[in-house]
Amino acid sequence: MEIPILYEDDNYILFNKPAGLVVHPDGKSDEPTLVDWLLKNRPDMKDVGEPLVLKSGESIPRPGIVHRLDKETSGVMVVAKNQKAFEDLKAKFQNREVEKKYHAFVYGILPEEDDTINRPIGRSKKDFRMWSAQRGARGEMREAITNYRVMEKFGDNAASAISFVEAEPKTGRTHQIRVHFKAIHHPVVSDALYAPNHAQMLGFKRHALHAYNLSFKGIDGKKVGATAPYPEDFENAIKTLKNGQGTA
């Protein structure tokens, strides 16, 4: 398992998580995780951070992990290398002091080139795996804000048009970007969970979402950040669209 390191200093590691890699174990599967990679390659980080305690009482280490990406989301993540940096980074995420930019392909042409989706998110009524920013969501509705801008548009046929967008989540809700674009009727391309009735497009075998850039002020006050190069499926999709080969 190769995980490219994008930046590293005495306090942080920023790396490019590949699509298909789970961040930490859930006690239900034995598939490889980011935690496995960290424990193998950085064993001195084992006790950094806070473990995940399962309902069974099992404690799973999460060395330096402050946030996570969905299994099928690729892109930049950060872990803290020591407890002081972990506590500081955790506070920065909670206080919305970490800048995150995601790139995604979404179905259709968005009505606005630059806009904010401000819709609280709760649990979906129909599927325990899902969240919802639409009517009928259950449980506590938590504030969720995502800014976006359209970088490029492809096609004018409503059935096959695609928008390439940059999204900046200002809150950190589970599945937030995927949920918000579904809520405005432009779900992320090939998202099997939130767009099951849409045709897969552009060759994506997973949802077309990539954590492009992450930055924050480090514990010493200096800016820390990195940009994650596009994976092969993103590069291929961009070439396909720019060459006018259609979106099927």
Side-chain angles (χ1 to χ4, degrees):
M1 179 167 48
E2 294 184 12
I3 302 179
I5 293 176
L6 303 171
Y7 171 89
E8 183 172 3
D9 62 20
D10 291 340
N11 297 306
Y12 314 100
I13 307 173
L14 282 75
F15 48 84
N16 190 357
K17 185 189 90 66
L21 179 66
V22 175
V23 172
H24 56 69
D26 60 4
K28 302 175 183 177
S29 171
D30 293 329
E31 63 184 305
T33 67
L34 172 64
V35 165
D36 294 331
W37 183 88
L38 285 168
L39 292 175
K40 179 180 177 180
N41 292 277
R42 303 300 168 95
D44 55 312
M45 290 175 54
K46 179 180 179 181
D47 296 322
V48 175
E50 300 168 349
L52 173 66
V53 180
L54 303 177
K55 290 182 179 179
S56 64
E58 180 185 358
S59 180
I60 296 176
R62 292 187 295 180
I65 294 174
V66 179
H67 71 128
R68 71 177 185 88
L69 297 177
D70 295 334
K71 176 181 177 180
E72 298 302 335
T73 301
S74 56
V76 62
M77 273 192 66
V78 57
V79 296
K81 294 174 66 175
N82 56 70
Q83 194 64 26
K84 185 177 180 181
F86 172 83
E87 298 294 347
D88 180 74
L89 188 56
K90 178 182 175 182
K92 284 184 167 64
F93 269 95
Q94 291 174 338
N95 296 328
R96 305 180 187 179
E97 296 173 7
V98 178
E99 294 183 7
K100 297 165 287 182
K101 294 181 179 180
Y102 291 74
H103 288 180
F105 293 95
V106 302
Y107 292 105
I109 302 300
L110 290 156
E112 302 292 338
E113 297 281 328
D114 193 325
D115 204 1
T116 296
I117 306 171
N118 187 347
R119 295 190 179 209
I121 290 176
R123 288 279 187 181
S124 168
K125 276 188 175 180
K126 67 179 183 179
D127 190 326
F128 73 93
R129 300 171 300 164
M130 297 174 64
W131 297 79
S132 176
Q134 297 167 285
R135 286 184 180 180
R138 62 183 175 83
E140 180 186 0
M141 299 297 289
R142 304 181 69 186
E143 180 188 31
I145 301 169
T146 303
N147 296 335
Y148 76 81
R149 68 181 180 90
V150 177
M151 296 188 289
E152 291 193 68
K153 295 179 286 188
F154 303 92
D156 51 14
N157 183 324
S160 62
I162 296 288
S163 295
F164 189 36
V165 301
E166 180 171 88
E168 294 187 54
K170 297 303 180 183
T171 48
R173 308 303 174 210
T174 301
H175 299 175
Q176 179 172 316
I177 292 172
R178 298 163 65 193
V179 170
H180 267 170
F181 279 101
K182 174 183 173 62
I184 62 171
H185 310 296
H186 294 278
V188 173
V189 165
S190 296
D191 191 332
L193 187 60
Y194 290 100
N197 298 322
H198 287 66
Q200 286 192 327
M201 288 184 168
L202 302 173
F204 280 102
K205 305 301 182 185
R206 50 101 178 193
H207 57 248
L209 180 63
H210 177 69
Y212 181 70
N213 180 272
L214 184 147
S215 63
F216 57 95
K217 281 189 177 180
I219 200 166
D220 58 2
K222 295 179 181 179
K223 187 172 182 177
V224 175
T227 295
Y230 291 139
E232 185 177 2
D233 53 6
F234 260 71
E235 293 282 10
N236 290 340
I238 291 168
K239 288 178 184 177
T240 296
L241 291 170
K242 286 187 179 295
N243 290 336
Q245 296 175 11
T247 55

Short mmCIF file of all heavy atoms in Angstrom, two decimals, residues 32-87:
data_model
loop_
_atom_site.label_atom_id
_atom_site.label_comp_id
_atom_site.label_asym_id
_atom_site.label_seq_id
_atom_site.Cartn_x
_atom_site.Cartn_y
_atom_site.Cartn_z
N PRO A 32 -7.55 -3.32 4.58
CA PRO A 32 -6.48 -2.40 4.97
C PRO A 32 -7.02 -0.99 5.19
O PRO A 32 -7.97 -0.56 4.53
CB PRO A 32 -5.53 -2.44 3.78
CG PRO A 32 -5.84 -3.71 3.07
CD PRO A 32 -7.30 -3.95 3.28
N THR A 33 -6.40 -0.26 6.12
CA THR A 33 -6.83 1.10 6.44
C THR A 33 -5.63 2.03 6.50
O THR A 33 -4.48 1.59 6.56
CB THR A 33 -7.55 1.15 7.80
OG1 THR A 33 -6.59 0.85 8.83
CG2 THR A 33 -8.71 0.16 7.86
N LEU A 34 -5.93 3.31 6.53
CA LEU A 34 -4.88 4.30 6.73
C LEU A 34 -4.18 4.10 8.07
O LEU A 34 -2.97 4.27 8.20
CB LEU A 34 -5.48 5.71 6.64
CG LEU A 34 -4.56 6.87 7.00
CD1 LEU A 34 -3.40 6.95 6.02
CD2 LEU A 34 -5.32 8.18 7.01
N VAL A 35 -4.94 3.74 9.07
CA VAL A 35 -4.37 3.48 10.40
C VAL A 35 -3.31 2.37 10.32
O VAL A 35 -2.24 2.47 10.93
CB VAL A 35 -5.46 3.12 11.41
CG1 VAL A 35 -4.86 2.50 12.67
CG2 VAL A 35 -6.27 4.37 11.79
N ASP A 36 -3.60 1.33 9.55
CA ASP A 36 -2.61 0.26 9.38
C ASP A 36 -1.30 0.80 8.82
O ASP A 36 -0.21 0.44 9.28
CB ASP A 36 -3.15 -0.82 8.43
CG ASP A 36 -4.34 -1.56 9.00
OD1 ASP A 36 -4.45 -1.68 10.23
OD2 ASP A 36 -5.18 -2.02 8.20
N TRP A 37 -1.43 1.64 7.82
CA TRP A 37 -0.24 2.23 7.19
C TRP A 37 0.54 3.08 8.19
O TRP A 37 1.77 3.02 8.27
CB TRP A 37 -0.67 3.07 5.99
CG TRP A 37 0.46 3.68 5.22
CD1 TRP A 37 1.15 3.11 4.19
CD2 TRP A 37 1.02 4.99 5.41
NE1 TRP A 37 2.11 3.98 3.73
CE2 TRP A 37 2.05 5.13 4.46
CE3 TRP A 37 0.75 6.04 6.28
CZ2 TRP A 37 2.81 6.30 4.36
CZ3 TRP A 37 1.51 7.19 6.20
CH2 TRP A 37 2.52 7.32 5.25
N LEU A 38 -0.18 3.89 8.98
CA LEU A 38 0.48 4.74 9.97
C LEU A 38 1.19 3.91 11.04
O LEU A 38 2.33 4.20 11.42
CB LEU A 38 -0.53 5.69 10.61
CG LEU A 38 -1.01 6.86 9.76
CD1 LEU A 38 -2.22 7.53 10.41
CD2 LEU A 38 0.11 7.88 9.56
N LEU A 39 0.51 2.89 11.54
CA LEU A 39 1.11 2.08 12.60
C LEU A 39 2.35 1.34 12.11
O LEU A 39 3.30 1.11 12.87
CB LEU A 39 0.08 1.09 13.14
CG LEU A 39 -1.09 1.70 13.92
CD1 LEU A 39 -2.10 0.62 14.29
CD2 LEU A 39 -0.61 2.42 15.17
N LYS A 40 2.34 0.97 10.83
CA LYS A 40 3.49 0.27 10.27
C LYS A 40 4.65 1.22 9.98
O LYS A 40 5.81 0.90 10.28
CB LYS A 40 3.09 -0.45 8.98
CG LYS A 40 4.24 -1.19 8.31
CD LYS A 40 3.78 -1.88 7.05
CE LYS A 40 4.98 -2.57 6.36
NZ LYS A 40 4.56 -3.25 5.10
N ASN A 41 4.34 2.37 9.41
CA ASN A 41 5.38 3.28 8.95
C ASN A 41 5.79 4.32 9.99
O ASN A 41 6.90 4.85 9.93
CB ASN A 41 4.93 3.98 7.66
CG ASN A 41 4.83 3.03 6.50
OD1 ASN A 41 5.81 2.73 5.84
ND2 ASN A 41 3.61 2.54 6.24
N ARG A 42 4.89 4.63 10.93
CA ARG A 42 5.18 5.62 11.96
C ARG A 42 4.76 5.06 13.32
O ARG A 42 3.82 5.59 13.95
CB ARG A 42 4.46 6.94 11.67
CG ARG A 42 4.79 7.55 10.32
CD ARG A 42 6.28 7.84 10.17
NE ARG A 42 6.63 8.16 8.80
CZ ARG A 42 6.71 9.39 8.31
NH1 ARG A 42 6.46 10.42 9.10
NH2 ARG A 42 7.05 9.59 7.06
N PRO A 43 5.37 3.98 13.79
CA PRO A 43 4.95 3.36 15.05
C PRO A 43 5.07 4.28 16.26
O PRO A 43 4.36 4.09 17.25
CB PRO A 43 5.90 2.15 15.17
CG PRO A 43 7.06 2.47 14.30
CD PRO A 43 6.51 3.27 13.16
N ASP A 44 5.94 5.29 16.17
CA ASP A 44 6.09 6.24 17.28
C ASP A 44 4.84 7.10 17.46
O ASP A 44 4.69 7.76 18.50
CB ASP A 44 7.30 7.14 17.04
CG ASP A 44 7.24 7.87 15.70
OD1 ASP A 44 6.98 7.21 14.68
OD2 ASP A 44 7.45 9.10 15.68
N MET A 45 3.92 7.10 16.49
CA MET A 45 2.69 7.90 16.58
C MET A 45 1.54 7.13 17.20
O MET A 45 0.43 7.65 17.32
CB MET A 45 2.28 8.40 15.18
CG MET A 45 3.19 9.46 14.59
SD MET A 45 2.72 9.87 12.88
CE MET A 45 0.97 10.28 13.08
N LYS A 46 1.76 5.90 17.61
CA LYS A 46 0.68 5.02 18.06
C LYS A 46 -0.21 5.64 19.12
O LYS A 46 -1.44 5.49 19.10
CB LYS A 46 1.27 3.72 18.59
CG LYS A 46 0.22 2.74 19.10
CD LYS A 46 0.84 1.46 19.63
CE LYS A 46 -0.22 0.51 20.16
NZ LYS A 46 0.36 -0.73 20.72
N ASP A 47 0.36 6.35 20.07
CA ASP A 47 -0.42 6.88 21.19
C ASP A 47 -0.85 8.33 21.00
O ASP A 47 -1.40 8.95 21.92
CB ASP A 47 0.38 6.74 22.48
CG ASP A 47 0.65 5.28 22.84
OD1 ASP A 47 -0.25 4.45 22.61
OD2 ASP A 47 1.76 4.98 23.32
N VAL A 48 -0.61 8.89 19.81
CA VAL A 48 -1.03 10.27 19.54
C VAL A 48 -2.52 10.28 19.21
O VAL A 48 -3.03 9.41 18.52
CB VAL A 48 -0.23 10.87 18.36
CG1 VAL A 48 -0.75 12.26 18.01
CG2 VAL A 48 1.25 10.92 18.68
N GLY A 49 -3.23 11.27 19.73
CA GLY A 49 -4.64 11.42 19.39
C GLY A 49 -5.58 10.74 20.35
O GLY A 49 -5.25 10.54 21.53
N GLU A 50 -6.75 10.37 19.84
CA GLU A 50 -7.79 9.75 20.66
C GLU A 50 -8.29 8.48 19.98
O GLU A 50 -8.64 8.51 18.80
CB GLU A 50 -8.97 10.71 20.84
CG GLU A 50 -8.59 12.02 21.52
CD GLU A 50 -9.70 13.05 21.43
OE1 GLU A 50 -10.66 12.83 20.66
OE2 GLU A 50 -9.60 14.08 22.13
N PRO A 51 -8.32 7.35 20.70
CA PRO A 51 -8.80 6.10 20.08
C PRO A 51 -10.30 6.14 19.83
O PRO A 51 -11.03 6.92 20.46
CB PRO A 51 -8.43 5.04 21.11
CG PRO A 51 -8.44 5.78 22.41
CD PRO A 51 -7.94 7.16 22.10
N LEU A 52 -10.74 5.31 18.91
CA LEU A 52 -12.17 5.12 18.67
C LEU A 52 -12.63 3.95 19.53
O LEU A 52 -12.09 2.85 19.45
CB LEU A 52 -12.42 4.80 17.19
CG LEU A 52 -13.84 4.41 16.81
CD1 LEU A 52 -14.79 5.59 16.99
CD2 LEU A 52 -13.89 3.91 15.36
N VAL A 53 -13.62 4.19 20.38
CA VAL A 53 -14.15 3.14 21.25
C VAL A 53 -15.47 2.64 20.67
O VAL A 53 -16.44 3.39 20.55
CB VAL A 53 -14.35 3.64 22.69
CG1 VAL A 53 -14.89 2.51 23.57
CG2 VAL A 53 -13.03 4.17 23.26
N LEU A 54 -15.50 1.37 20.26
CA LEU A 54 -16.69 0.78 19.67
C LEU A 54 -17.72 0.42 20.74
O LEU A 54 -17.41 0.39 21.93
CB LEU A 54 -16.30 -0.47 18.88
CG LEU A 54 -15.27 -0.28 17.77
CD1 LEU A 54 -14.94 -1.62 17.12
CD2 LEU A 54 -15.76 0.71 16.73
N LYS A 55 -18.94 0.14 20.30
CA LYS A 55 -19.99 -0.24 21.24
C LYS A 55 -19.63 -1.49 22.02
O LYS A 55 -20.07 -1.68 23.15
CB LYS A 55 -21.31 -0.46 20.48
CG LYS A 55 -21.92 0.82 19.93
CD LYS A 55 -23.24 0.53 19.22
CE LYS A 55 -23.88 1.81 18.69
NZ LYS A 55 -25.15 1.55 17.98
N SER A 56 -18.82 -2.34 21.41
CA SER A 56 -18.39 -3.57 22.07
C SER A 56 -17.38 -3.31 23.18
O SER A 56 -17.07 -4.20 23.96
CB SER A 56 -17.75 -4.50 21.04
OG SER A 56 -16.57 -3.92 20.50
N GLY A 57 -16.88 -2.06 23.22
CA GLY A 57 -15.85 -1.72 24.20
C GLY A 57 -14.45 -1.80 23.63
O GLY A 57 -13.49 -1.36 24.27
N GLU A 58 -14.33 -2.33 22.41
CA GLU A 58 -13.01 -2.42 21.76
C GLU A 58 -12.49 -1.02 21.46
O GLU A 58 -13.22 -0.15 20.99
CB GLU A 58 -13.12 -3.23 20.48
CG GLU A 58 -11.79 -3.38 19.74
CD GLU A 58 -11.94 -4.09 18.41
OE1 GLU A 58 -13.08 -4.50 18.08
OE2 GLU A 58 -10.92 -4.22 17.70
N SER A 59 -11.21 -0.81 21.73
CA SER A 59 -10.58 0.48 21.48
C SER A 59 -9.69 0.36 20.25
O SER A 59 -8.80 -0.50 20.19
CB SER A 59 -9.74 0.90 22.69
OG SER A 59 -9.13 2.15 22.46
N ILE A 60 -9.93 1.22 19.26
CA ILE A 60 -9.18 1.19 18.01
C ILE A 60 -8.31 2.45 17.93
O ILE A 60 -8.83 3.57 18.01
CB ILE A 60 -10.12 1.13 16.80
CG1 ILE A 60 -10.90 -0.19 16.82
CG2 ILE A 60 -9.36 1.28 15.50
CD1 ILE A 60 -11.93 -0.31 15.73
N PRO A 61 -7.00 2.30 17.78
CA PRO A 61 -6.14 3.48 17.71
C PRO A 61 -6.41 4.30 16.45
O PRO A 61 -6.72 3.75 15.39
CB PRO A 61 -4.73 2.89 17.69
CG PRO A 61 -4.90 1.50 17.16
CD PRO A 61 -6.24 1.05 17.65
N ARG A 62 -6.31 5.62 16.60
CA ARG A 62 -6.42 6.52 15.46
C ARG A 62 -5.25 7.50 15.54
O ARG A 62 -5.43 8.67 15.89
CB ARG A 62 -7.75 7.27 15.47
CG ARG A 62 -8.96 6.39 15.21
CD ARG A 62 -10.22 7.18 15.06
NE ARG A 62 -10.59 7.87 16.29
CZ ARG A 62 -11.67 8.63 16.43
NH1 ARG A 62 -12.49 8.80 15.41
NH2 ARG A 62 -11.95 9.21 17.58
N PRO A 63 -4.04 7.04 15.25
CA PRO A 63 -2.85 7.85 15.49
C PRO A 63 -2.85 9.19 14.75
O PRO A 63 -2.73 9.23 13.53
CB PRO A 63 -1.71 6.94 15.00
CG PRO A 63 -2.36 5.96 14.09
CD PRO A 63 -3.74 5.76 14.62
N GLY A 64 -3.03 10.26 15.50
CA GLY A 64 -2.94 11.61 14.95
C GLY A 64 -4.09 12.03 14.07
O GLY A 64 -4.06 13.11 13.48
N ILE A 65 -5.14 11.22 13.96
CA ILE A 65 -6.22 11.50 13.02
C ILE A 65 -7.25 12.45 13.63
O ILE A 65 -7.83 12.17 14.68
CB ILE A 65 -6.90 10.20 12.56
CG1 ILE A 65 -5.91 9.37 11.73
CG2 ILE A 65 -8.16 10.48 11.76
CD1 ILE A 65 -6.41 8.01 11.34
N VAL A 66 -7.45 13.56 12.96
CA VAL A 66 -8.38 14.60 13.42
C VAL A 66 -9.63 14.64 12.55
O VAL A 66 -10.72 14.99 13.01
CB VAL A 66 -7.69 15.98 13.42
CG1 VAL A 66 -8.63 17.08 13.87
CG2 VAL A 66 -6.45 15.96 14.31
N HIS A 67 -9.49 14.27 11.28
CA HIS A 67 -10.62 14.28 10.36
C HIS A 67 -10.48 13.05 9.47
O HIS A 67 -9.51 12.30 9.56
CB HIS A 67 -10.64 15.56 9.51
CG HIS A 67 -9.53 15.62 8.49
ND1 HIS A 67 -9.75 15.88 7.16
CD2 HIS A 67 -8.18 15.44 8.60
CE1 HIS A 67 -8.60 15.88 6.50
NE2 HIS A 67 -7.63 15.62 7.35
N ARG A 68 -11.46 12.83 8.62
CA ARG A 68 -11.37 11.69 7.71
C ARG A 68 -12.02 12.02 6.37
O ARG A 68 -12.78 13.00 6.26
CB ARG A 68 -12.01 10.45 8.32
CG ARG A 68 -13.52 10.50 8.42
CD ARG A 68 -14.09 9.20 8.96
NE ARG A 68 -15.55 9.19 8.96
CZ ARG A 68 -16.30 8.80 7.93
NH1 ARG A 68 -15.71 8.43 6.80
NH2 ARG A 68 -17.61 8.81 8.00
N LEU A 69 -11.72 11.22 5.39
CA LEU A 69 -12.39 11.27 4.09
C LEU A 69 -13.16 9.97 3.91
O LEU A 69 -12.75 8.92 4.40
CB LEU A 69 -11.37 11.42 2.95
CG LEU A 69 -10.52 12.69 2.93
CD1 LEU A 69 -9.51 12.64 1.78
CD2 LEU A 69 -11.38 13.94 2.80
N ASP A 70 -14.27 10.04 3.18
CA ASP A 70 -15.01 8.83 2.87
C ASP A 70 -14.11 7.85 2.13
O ASP A 70 -13.15 8.25 1.45
CB ASP A 70 -16.23 9.16 1.99
CG ASP A 70 -17.24 10.03 2.70
OD1 ASP A 70 -17.29 9.99 3.95
OD2 ASP A 70 -17.99 10.75 2.01
N LYS A 71 -14.43 6.58 2.21
CA LYS A 71 -13.60 5.54 1.59
C LYS A 71 -13.31 5.85 0.12
O LYS A 71 -12.16 5.73 -0.34
CB LYS A 71 -14.30 4.19 1.72
CG LYS A 71 -13.58 3.04 1.03
CD LYS A 71 -14.34 1.73 1.18
CE LYS A 71 -13.64 0.60 0.44
NZ LYS A 71 -14.36 -0.69 0.58
N GLU A 72 -14.33 6.24 -0.65
CA GLU A 72 -14.14 6.42 -2.08
C GLU A 72 -13.69 7.84 -2.46
O GLU A 72 -13.51 8.12 -3.64
CB GLU A 72 -15.43 6.06 -2.83
CG GLU A 72 -15.85 4.61 -2.65
CD GLU A 72 -14.79 3.61 -3.10
OE1 GLU A 72 -13.96 3.96 -3.95
OE2 GLU A 72 -14.79 2.47 -2.59
N THR A 73 -13.53 8.71 -1.49
CA THR A 73 -13.03 10.06 -1.77
C THR A 73 -11.50 10.04 -1.74
O THR A 73 -10.91 9.53 -0.78
CB THR A 73 -13.55 11.08 -0.74
OG1 THR A 73 -14.98 11.09 -0.77
CG2 THR A 73 -13.04 12.47 -1.05
N SER A 74 -10.90 10.57 -2.76
CA SER A 74 -9.44 10.67 -2.82
C SER A 74 -9.01 12.04 -2.33
O SER A 74 -9.81 12.96 -2.18
CB SER A 74 -8.96 10.45 -4.26
OG SER A 74 -9.59 11.37 -5.14
N GLY A 75 -7.70 12.19 -2.08
CA GLY A 75 -7.16 13.52 -1.85
C GLY A 75 -6.47 13.75 -0.53
O GLY A 75 -6.16 12.83 0.22
N VAL A 76 -6.22 15.03 -0.27
CA VAL A 76 -5.33 15.43 0.82
C VAL A 76 -5.97 15.27 2.19
O VAL A 76 -7.12 15.65 2.41
CB VAL A 76 -4.81 16.87 0.61
CG1 VAL A 76 -5.95 17.88 0.61
CG2 VAL A 76 -3.77 17.24 1.65
N MET A 77 -5.21 14.66 3.10
CA MET A 77 -5.58 14.54 4.51
C MET A 77 -4.37 14.94 5.35
O MET A 77 -3.23 14.91 4.89
CB MET A 77 -5.96 13.10 4.85
CG MET A 77 -7.40 12.74 4.62
SD MET A 77 -7.81 11.13 5.39
CE MET A 77 -7.61 11.54 7.14
N VAL A 78 -4.63 15.30 6.60
CA VAL A 78 -3.55 15.65 7.52
C VAL A 78 -3.67 14.82 8.79
O VAL A 78 -4.78 14.52 9.25
CB VAL A 78 -3.58 17.17 7.88
CG1 VAL A 78 -4.91 17.58 8.48
CG2 VAL A 78 -2.43 17.53 8.82
N VAL A 79 -2.53 14.42 9.34
CA VAL A 79 -2.48 13.81 10.66
C VAL A 79 -1.44 14.57 11.48
O VAL A 79 -0.46 15.11 10.94
CB VAL A 79 -2.15 12.31 10.63
CG1 VAL A 79 -3.23 11.53 9.92
CG2 VAL A 79 -0.80 12.06 9.98
N ALA A 80 -1.64 14.60 12.80
CA ALA A 80 -0.70 15.25 13.71
C ALA A 80 0.29 14.21 14.23
O ALA A 80 -0.08 13.08 14.53
CB ALA A 80 -1.46 15.88 14.88
N LYS A 81 1.55 14.60 14.35
CA LYS A 81 2.60 13.66 14.74
C LYS A 81 2.86 13.61 16.24
O LYS A 81 3.57 12.72 16.72
CB LYS A 81 3.90 14.00 14.00
CG LYS A 81 3.82 13.81 12.50
CD LYS A 81 5.05 14.29 11.78
CE LYS A 81 6.29 13.49 12.11
NZ LYS A 81 7.45 13.92 11.30
N ASN A 82 2.29 14.56 16.98
CA ASN A 82 2.47 14.57 18.43
C ASN A 82 1.20 15.10 19.08
O ASN A 82 0.34 15.69 18.40
CB ASN A 82 3.69 15.39 18.85
CG ASN A 82 3.63 16.82 18.34
OD1 ASN A 82 2.82 17.62 18.79
ND2 ASN A 82 4.48 17.15 17.36
N GLN A 83 1.06 14.89 20.37
CA GLN A 83 -0.19 15.22 21.05
C GLN A 83 -0.48 16.71 21.07
O GLN A 83 -1.62 17.14 20.92
CB GLN A 83 -0.18 14.67 22.48
CG GLN A 83 -1.55 14.65 23.15
CD GLN A 83 -2.54 13.72 22.46
OE1 GLN A 83 -2.14 12.74 21.81
NE2 GLN A 83 -3.83 14.02 22.58
N LYS A 84 0.56 17.53 21.23
CA LYS A 84 0.36 18.97 21.25
C LYS A 84 -0.19 19.46 19.91
O LYS A 84 -1.15 20.24 19.86
CB LYS A 84 1.67 19.69 21.58
CG LYS A 84 1.53 21.19 21.74
CD LYS A 84 2.87 21.83 22.13
CE LYS A 84 2.72 23.34 22.29
NZ LYS A 84 4.03 23.98 22.66
N ALA A 85 0.39 18.97 18.83
CA ALA A 85 -0.09 19.35 17.50
C ALA A 85 -1.51 18.80 17.27
O ALA A 85 -2.35 19.45 16.65
CB ALA A 85 0.85 18.82 16.43
N PHE A 86 -1.79 17.61 17.79
CA PHE A 86 -3.12 17.01 17.65
C PHE A 86 -4.18 17.88 18.32
O PHE A 86 -5.23 18.18 17.71
CB PHE A 86 -3.14 15.61 18.27
CG PHE A 86 -4.50 15.00 18.34
CD1 PHE A 86 -5.06 14.37 17.24
CD2 PHE A 86 -5.26 15.09 19.51
CE1 PHE A 86 -6.33 13.82 17.30
CE2 PHE A 86 -6.53 14.54 19.58
CZ PHE A 86 -7.07 13.91 18.47
N GLU A 87 -3.94 18.28 19.56
CA GLU A 87 -4.93 19.10 20.28
C GLU A 87 -5.16 20.43 19.57
O GLU A 87 -6.29 20.91 19.47
CB GLU A 87 -4.46 19.33 21.72
CG GLU A 87 -4.32 18.06 22.57
CD GLU A 87 -5.64 17.36 22.84
OE1 GLU A 87 -6.71 17.96 22.59
OE2 GLU A 87 -5.60 16.20 23.30
#
